[in-house]
Amino acid sequence: MIATAETGSGKTMCFAVASIAAVDVNSGPGPQVLIMAHNRTLLDQLCDEMDKLIAAIKALRPGSPPITWSYVDNKDSTKQFNADAHVILSTAGQLANKVKRDLNVRGVKLVVADEVDDILCSSAPAMRDILEGCAKVARKAPQVLFFSATIGDDENDPDDRRLRQQLVQCVGPQHVLCKAKRKDVAGMTHLITVCPDGRSKMKMLAYFLKDTILLGSAIVFCKNKRSNQKDPVSVTSLMDMDNGIRERRGLQPLAPSESTLDGVQEFHAGAEVTRDDRIRMMSRFRQNKARILVATDAVAKGIDVPNVTMVVQMELVKAKTEREGFSWIDNQKKALDQFRHRSGRTARALQKGINIVLCTPDEENKAMEYMRILDIPETNRRVLRIDASGQLPEDINTFLGDAQV
């Protein structure tokens, strides 16, 4: 089955429940369900959700044989992988290595892939190795469940056609496609904020994230980890707007007249970042010890944090072919998908939220084109133009408040 639906619509719970339901605790040791995530950040969240769900089931059925789970992380030397667990979670590449080497998949009944389009984009050979490895030795061909918010169906788009071909190669021509119509998330409001330069963006960010404006928590997305001569906006420069962080780094505090942030947590990923590091960074945000998460696009897909009432995009997502575009985004369709993934960290599970996009004057038309393509109604969008005076409309605070609750 291939399933696609909007961000925050409950896809994770759907396949988590299906995974638990597939487990037969009386059939002996060995994995029965394999779940793949497209990166380690999403894998961490899936592990957390699986742990909570299994703990809840255990509380409802005391004394029953427990459902067990384990995850594959070659960089986590402190974790003992349990090859006999009922449910195995992993990224595709690491799981493929396990299947090819020594993981017994004879009892696998269900294979799940979350954000399958990204997995196939980066790890299609690994996906095939996993499915073929299971098909060769499993007692019965396992069911396959593929999920994503962005599986395109444009026959004129070569990327969409390629993805469709890859999906059919994986699941076979006989499959069920469950597809919700693409539409804007009902509770989401979009504010296109046109700023003359990067410094103005940082000033507006400080305004939007004031305690009197931000009613829940916020995720701030930055394209760059570090600033450069062309663009002063980066994860590092935004972290330096928090005087608490400046103090810990031995920097002079910013004056009250300068744009500052309070309660900031950075999230970064990479080969050098361990699972404990990732969990520590996300835990501070999840537990409201930090109200603002500043991150690159490592958390743009699949991550679900309660009470995120605001997303701020420090730049408009654009293809690499455009000026100041994103080097890893090939075309406008992929840019739109990334825009939707970023904004989809708020207004989840029927809640309200606001997506604020800080763009330059020459990007305003492109931002409004995105609004039209995504069919976002005029009632759910607004343009705010910042001039040299910095004067804001009288009703802006009310607008921002209404968009969050």
mmCIF file of all heavy atoms in Angstrom, residues 187-191 215 309-310 346-347 351-356 380 396-405:
data_model
loop_
_atom_site.group_PDB
_atom_site.id
_atom_site.type_symbol
_atom_site.label_atom_id
_atom_site.label_comp_id
_atom_site.label_asym_id
_atom_site.label_seq_id
_atom_site.Cartn_x
_atom_site.Cartn_y
_atom_site.Cartn_z
ATOM 1 N N GLY A 187 -5.952 24.650 9.459
ATOM 2 C CA GLY A 187 -5.722 25.577 10.556
ATOM 3 C C GLY A 187 -4.509 26.464 10.397
ATOM 4 O O GLY A 187 -4.142 27.183 11.334
ATOM 5 N N MET A 188 -3.864 26.437 9.230
ATOM 6 C CA MET A 188 -2.621 27.178 9.053
ATOM 7 C C MET A 188 -2.850 28.518 8.375
ATOM 8 O O MET A 188 -3.563 28.615 7.380
ATOM 9 C CB MET A 188 -1.623 26.348 8.234
ATOM 10 C CG MET A 188 -0.230 26.981 8.163
ATOM 11 S SD MET A 188 0.901 26.027 7.112
ATOM 12 C CE MET A 188 0.924 24.447 7.966
ATOM 13 N N THR A 189 -2.225 29.548 8.938
ATOM 14 C CA THR A 189 -2.213 30.880 8.345
ATOM 15 C C THR A 189 -0.796 31.169 7.861
ATOM 16 O O THR A 189 0.178 30.794 8.515
ATOM 17 C CB THR A 189 -2.630 31.934 9.378
ATOM 18 O OG1 THR A 189 -3.952 31.639 9.848
ATOM 19 C CG2 THR A 189 -2.620 33.329 8.777
ATOM 20 N N HIS A 190 -0.683 31.820 6.715
ATOM 21 C CA HIS A 190 0.625 32.146 6.143
ATOM 22 C C HIS A 190 0.812 33.658 6.146
ATOM 23 O O HIS A 190 -0.073 34.396 5.694
ATOM 24 C CB HIS A 190 0.738 31.615 4.716
ATOM 25 C CG HIS A 190 0.560 30.132 4.605
ATOM 26 N ND1 HIS A 190 1.619 29.261 4.534
ATOM 27 C CD2 HIS A 190 -0.575 29.370 4.575
ATOM 28 C CE1 HIS A 190 1.153 28.016 4.442
ATOM 29 N NE2 HIS A 190 -0.167 28.064 4.464
ATOM 30 N N LEU A 191 1.963 34.096 6.638
ATOM 31 C CA LEU A 191 2.299 35.521 6.634
ATOM 32 C C LEU A 191 3.586 35.708 5.836
ATOM 33 O O LEU A 191 4.666 35.303 6.280
ATOM 34 C CB LEU A 191 2.484 36.038 8.066
ATOM 35 C CG LEU A 191 2.878 37.514 8.198
ATOM 36 C CD1 LEU A 191 1.775 38.423 7.637
ATOM 37 C CD2 LEU A 191 3.158 37.880 9.658
ATOM 38 N N LEU A 215 2.632 32.416 21.317
ATOM 39 C CA LEU A 215 1.750 31.836 22.325
ATOM 40 C C LEU A 215 2.105 30.405 22.700
ATOM 41 O O LEU A 215 1.673 29.915 23.740
ATOM 42 C CB LEU A 215 0.294 31.888 21.824
ATOM 43 C CG LEU A 215 -0.233 33.281 21.489
ATOM 44 C CD1 LEU A 215 -1.694 33.210 21.083
ATOM 45 C CD2 LEU A 215 -0.039 34.239 22.666
ATOM 46 N N THR A 309 3.205 26.570 17.671
ATOM 47 C CA THR A 309 2.183 27.457 17.110
ATOM 48 C C THR A 309 2.729 28.368 16.015
ATOM 49 O O THR A 309 1.964 29.075 15.368
ATOM 50 C CB THR A 309 1.573 28.344 18.214
ATOM 51 O OG1 THR A 309 2.609 29.124 18.821
ATOM 52 C CG2 THR A 309 0.893 27.488 19.277
ATOM 53 N N MET A 310 4.054 28.333 15.828
ATOM 54 C CA MET A 310 4.644 29.224 14.831
ATOM 55 C C MET A 310 5.856 28.560 14.181
ATOM 56 O O MET A 310 6.680 27.948 14.857
ATOM 57 C CB MET A 310 5.081 30.541 15.490
ATOM 58 C CG MET A 310 5.648 31.582 14.518
ATOM 59 S SD MET A 310 6.222 33.099 15.369
ATOM 60 C CE MET A 310 4.664 33.762 15.994
ATOM 61 N N THR A 346 3.861 23.125 12.058
ATOM 62 C CA THR A 346 2.828 23.738 12.889
ATOM 63 C C THR A 346 1.454 23.382 12.324
ATOM 64 O O THR A 346 1.348 22.772 11.255
ATOM 65 C CB THR A 346 2.988 25.271 12.960
ATOM 66 O OG1 THR A 346 2.096 25.795 13.950
ATOM 67 C CG2 THR A 346 2.717 25.942 11.628
ATOM 68 N N ALA A 347 0.402 23.742 13.057
ATOM 69 C CA ALA A 347 -0.980 23.457 12.651
ATOM 70 C C ALA A 347 -1.185 21.967 12.410
ATOM 71 O O ALA A 347 -1.815 21.559 11.434
ATOM 72 C CB ALA A 347 -1.355 24.261 11.404
ATOM 73 N N GLN A 351 -4.905 21.436 14.846
ATOM 74 C CA GLN A 351 -4.619 22.634 15.624
ATOM 75 C C GLN A 351 -4.340 23.816 14.692
ATOM 76 O O GLN A 351 -4.154 23.651 13.492
ATOM 77 C CB GLN A 351 -3.413 22.394 16.547
ATOM 78 C CG GLN A 351 -3.596 21.257 17.537
ATOM 79 C CD GLN A 351 -4.767 21.485 18.465
ATOM 80 O OE1 GLN A 351 -4.853 22.505 19.131
ATOM 81 N NE2 GLN A 351 -5.690 20.530 18.494
ATOM 82 N N LYS A 352 -4.299 25.017 15.265
ATOM 83 C CA LYS A 352 -3.983 26.208 14.487
ATOM 84 C C LYS A 352 -2.494 26.514 14.573
ATOM 85 O O LYS A 352 -1.781 26.030 15.463
ATOM 86 C CB LYS A 352 -4.796 27.408 14.989
ATOM 87 C CG LYS A 352 -6.289 27.253 14.806
ATOM 88 C CD LYS A 352 -7.049 28.478 15.293
ATOM 89 C CE LYS A 352 -6.891 29.658 14.367
ATOM 90 N NZ LYS A 352 -7.737 30.805 14.755
ATOM 91 N N GLY A 353 -2.005 27.301 13.645
ATOM 92 C CA GLY A 353 -0.608 27.698 13.654
ATOM 93 C C GLY A 353 -0.338 28.659 12.519
ATOM 94 O O GLY A 353 -1.113 28.754 11.553
ATOM 95 N N ILE A 354 0.777 29.392 12.631
ATOM 96 C CA ILE A 354 1.123 30.367 11.604
ATOM 97 C C ILE A 354 2.490 30.043 11.021
ATOM 98 O O ILE A 354 3.435 29.701 11.741
ATOM 99 C CB ILE A 354 1.089 31.816 12.159
ATOM 100 C CG1 ILE A 354 1.321 32.823 11.036
ATOM 101 C CG2 ILE A 354 2.089 32.016 13.294
ATOM 102 C CD1 ILE A 354 0.972 34.250 11.416
ATOM 103 N N ASN A 355 2.588 30.133 9.705
ATOM 104 C CA ASN A 355 3.835 29.956 8.973
ATOM 105 C C ASN A 355 4.267 31.323 8.465
ATOM 106 O O ASN A 355 3.588 31.928 7.634
ATOM 107 C CB ASN A 355 3.619 28.992 7.808
ATOM 108 C CG ASN A 355 4.801 28.968 6.861
ATOM 109 O OD1 ASN A 355 5.946 28.842 7.283
ATOM 110 N ND2 ASN A 355 4.525 29.098 5.563
ATOM 111 N N ILE A 356 5.384 31.812 8.988
ATOM 112 C CA ILE A 356 5.892 33.136 8.609
ATOM 113 C C ILE A 356 7.091 32.946 7.687
ATOM 114 O O ILE A 356 8.050 32.248 8.035
ATOM 115 C CB ILE A 356 6.299 33.951 9.848
ATOM 116 C CG1 ILE A 356 5.079 34.165 10.756
ATOM 117 C CG2 ILE A 356 6.906 35.287 9.437
ATOM 118 C CD1 ILE A 356 5.403 34.862 12.067
ATOM 119 N N ASN A 380 -6.486 32.859 4.424
ATOM 120 C CA ASN A 380 -5.426 32.185 5.185
ATOM 121 C C ASN A 380 -4.038 32.720 4.861
ATOM 122 O O ASN A 380 -3.041 32.078 5.197
ATOM 123 C CB ASN A 380 -5.459 30.672 4.921
ATOM 124 C CG ASN A 380 -6.601 29.981 5.627
ATOM 125 O OD1 ASN A 380 -7.698 30.524 5.708
ATOM 126 N ND2 ASN A 380 -6.360 28.800 6.150
ATOM 127 N N ILE A 396 -1.568 43.996 13.653
ATOM 128 C CA ILE A 396 -0.703 42.834 13.410
ATOM 129 C C ILE A 396 -0.638 41.901 14.617
ATOM 130 O O ILE A 396 -0.617 40.674 14.476
ATOM 131 C CB ILE A 396 0.720 43.288 12.976
ATOM 132 C CG1 ILE A 396 1.522 42.089 12.463
ATOM 133 C CG2 ILE A 396 1.429 44.000 14.101
ATOM 134 C CD1 ILE A 396 0.952 41.423 11.246
ATOM 135 N N ASN A 397 -0.611 42.460 15.826
ATOM 136 C CA ASN A 397 -0.549 41.595 17.015
ATOM 137 C C ASN A 397 -1.812 40.749 17.155
ATOM 138 O O ASN A 397 -1.744 39.562 17.497
ATOM 139 C CB ASN A 397 -0.332 42.438 18.272
ATOM 140 C CG ASN A 397 1.055 43.026 18.348
ATOM 141 O OD1 ASN A 397 1.856 42.855 17.429
ATOM 142 N ND2 ASN A 397 1.347 43.728 19.422
ATOM 143 N N THR A 398 -2.948 41.348 16.902
ATOM 144 C CA THR A 398 -4.205 40.592 16.948
ATOM 145 C C THR A 398 -4.217 39.500 15.885
ATOM 146 O O THR A 398 -4.634 38.362 16.134
ATOM 147 C CB THR A 398 -5.401 41.533 16.740
ATOM 148 O OG1 THR A 398 -5.388 42.540 17.746
ATOM 149 C CG2 THR A 398 -6.710 40.770 16.796
ATOM 150 N N PHE A 399 -3.727 39.840 14.697
ATOM 151 C CA PHE A 399 -3.650 38.868 13.605
ATOM 152 C C PHE A 399 -2.773 37.683 13.996
ATOM 153 O O PHE A 399 -3.150 36.519 13.797
ATOM 154 C CB PHE A 399 -3.099 39.548 12.354
ATOM 155 C CG PHE A 399 -2.792 38.608 11.230
ATOM 156 C CD1 PHE A 399 -3.791 38.184 10.365
ATOM 157 C CD2 PHE A 399 -1.496 38.148 11.012
ATOM 158 C CE1 PHE A 399 -3.507 37.303 9.322
ATOM 159 C CE2 PHE A 399 -1.209 37.278 9.986
ATOM 160 C CZ PHE A 399 -2.214 36.859 9.127
ATOM 161 N N LEU A 400 -1.604 37.954 14.567
ATOM 162 C CA LEU A 400 -0.688 36.896 14.967
ATOM 163 C C LEU A 400 -1.269 36.034 16.074
ATOM 164 O O LEU A 400 -1.112 34.808 16.082
ATOM 165 C CB LEU A 400 0.644 37.501 15.420
ATOM 166 C CG LEU A 400 1.471 38.181 14.323
ATOM 167 C CD1 LEU A 400 2.583 39.027 14.942
ATOM 168 C CD2 LEU A 400 2.058 37.157 13.363
ATOM 169 N N GLY A 401 -1.983 36.647 17.000
ATOM 170 C CA GLY A 401 -2.594 35.899 18.082
ATOM 171 C C GLY A 401 -3.714 34.994 17.596
ATOM 172 O O GLY A 401 -3.792 33.820 17.956
ATOM 173 N N ASP A 402 -4.581 35.538 16.747
ATOM 174 C CA ASP A 402 -5.698 34.762 16.226
ATOM 175 C C ASP A 402 -5.223 33.569 15.390
ATOM 176 O O ASP A 402 -5.910 32.543 15.328
ATOM 177 C CB ASP A 402 -6.611 35.642 15.370
ATOM 178 C CG ASP A 402 -7.379 36.666 16.199
ATOM 179 O OD1 ASP A 402 -7.441 36.492 17.437
ATOM 180 O OD2 ASP A 402 -7.904 37.620 15.617
ATOM 181 N N ALA A 403 -4.066 33.714 14.752
ATOM 182 C CA ALA A 403 -3.553 32.636 13.906
ATOM 183 C C ALA A 403 -3.013 31.469 14.701
ATOM 184 O O ALA A 403 -2.834 30.372 14.170
ATOM 185 C CB ALA A 403 -2.447 33.184 12.993
ATOM 186 N N GLN A 404 -2.766 31.675 16.007
ATOM 187 C CA GLN A 404 -2.143 30.631 16.823
ATOM 188 C C GLN A 404 -3.124 29.888 17.709
ATOM 189 O O GLN A 404 -2.814 28.781 18.199
ATOM 190 C CB GLN A 404 -1.034 31.242 17.685
ATOM 191 C CG GLN A 404 0.124 31.820 16.900
ATOM 192 C CD GLN A 404 1.160 32.453 17.810
ATOM 193 O OE1 GLN A 404 1.915 31.780 18.490
ATOM 194 N NE2 GLN A 404 1.181 33.788 17.822
ATOM 195 N N VAL A 405 -4.264 30.478 18.007
ATOM 196 C CA VAL A 405 -5.228 29.829 18.921
ATOM 197 C C VAL A 405 -6.643 29.894 18.333
ATOM 198 O O VAL A 405 -6.935 30.736 17.500
ATOM 199 C CB VAL A 405 -5.219 30.476 20.318
ATOM 200 C CG1 VAL A 405 -3.881 30.260 20.982
ATOM 201 C CG2 VAL A 405 -5.528 31.969 20.216
#
